[in-house]
Amino acid sequence: SDVCSSDLNEASRMFKKLIAPYKGKYIFIDFWGTTCGPCRAGIEEMAHFRKEMQGNPDFQFLYITGAGTSPSEYDYNEYVAKHLKGFPSVYLKDAEYLYMRELFHFNGIPHYVMVDRDGKIMDENYNYSSYMLDHFLNEKGIRK
């Protein structure tokens, strides 16, 4: 279906606002949901990266979900407290989440996006694997 440009402008504005606090850093964005097994597995598998990168001036993890993929706010809050404590996690309204899906052309989750230091999309369909992220962090000299 055709997305009207005003929706994309709105989505783009919203996205810029979401990433604004992390300007100057590479941002790994994870679109996920509490009802998605592979999403949770990915988050749990990346625990060592989060631990290593916490407070890093050059790199930021950002987690984004919505009511459609995380229908229970209770489950969402519980999961975030257990696995994503200390990392930005955003819970969007359905319409806002739909904007993100339209902006990045995805239906399925997990979906990963990599953003550069200037807030430009480096890869809107980042093929995450531990190896890829490891390589990226070393290549950019981000490792402590």
Side-chain angles (χ1 to χ4, degrees):
S1 69
D2 285 335
V3 180
C4 76
S5 60
S6 65
D7 279 358
L8 283 179
N9 290 343
E10 184 54 39
S12 189
R13 257 196 308 277
M14 196 174 104
F15 181 71
K16 284 186 174 112
K17 207 170 136 187
L18 286 173
I19 64 169
Y22 316 110
K23 192 156 176 58
K25 296 183 179 199
Y26 288 98
I27 311 167
F28 178 91
I29 300 171
D30 183 342
F31 290 96
W32 70 289
T34 54
T35 57
C36 163
C39 297
R40 292 194 313 268
I43 286 171
E44 289 157 36
E45 181 198 328
M46 274 197 270
H48 68 289
F49 281 124
R50 282 193 301 278
K51 192 174 178 179
E52 183 188 339
M53 291 292 124
Q54 192 153 23
N56 189 295
D58 299 307
F59 190 82
Q60 182 65 54
F61 284 100
L62 174 60
Y63 294 87
I64 301 176
T65 190
T69 51
S70 296
S72 159
E73 268 192 83
Y74 176 81
D75 289 347
Y76 165 79
N77 289 329
E78 200 171 60
Y79 189 87
V80 167
K82 186 173 179 190
H83 296 283
L84 297 174
K85 201 173 178 67
F87 293 90
S89 184
V90 183
Y91 189 92
L92 299 175
K93 294 185 195 106
D94 272 343
E96 296 170 330
Y97 193 80
L98 191 60
Y99 278 151
M100 293 298 100
R101 278 185 30 198
E102 288 169 352
L103 190 62
F104 294 110
H105 316 288
F106 72 92
N107 281 315
I109 49 171
H111 182 83
Y112 308 110
V113 174
M114 190 67 85
V115 177
D116 76 10
R117 295 174 186 276
D118 299 321
K120 293 191 175 59
I121 311 302
M122 290 175 67
D123 193 341
E124 73 166 41
N125 193 12
Y126 187 72
N127 187 5
Y128 165 75
S129 68
S130 286
Y131 170 78
M132 292 274 296
L133 192 55
D134 208 41
H135 182 73
F136 177 85
L137 296 169
N138 289 328
E139 183 187 64
K140 300 292 182 195
I142 294 170
R143 283 253 147 80
K144 285 180 190 146

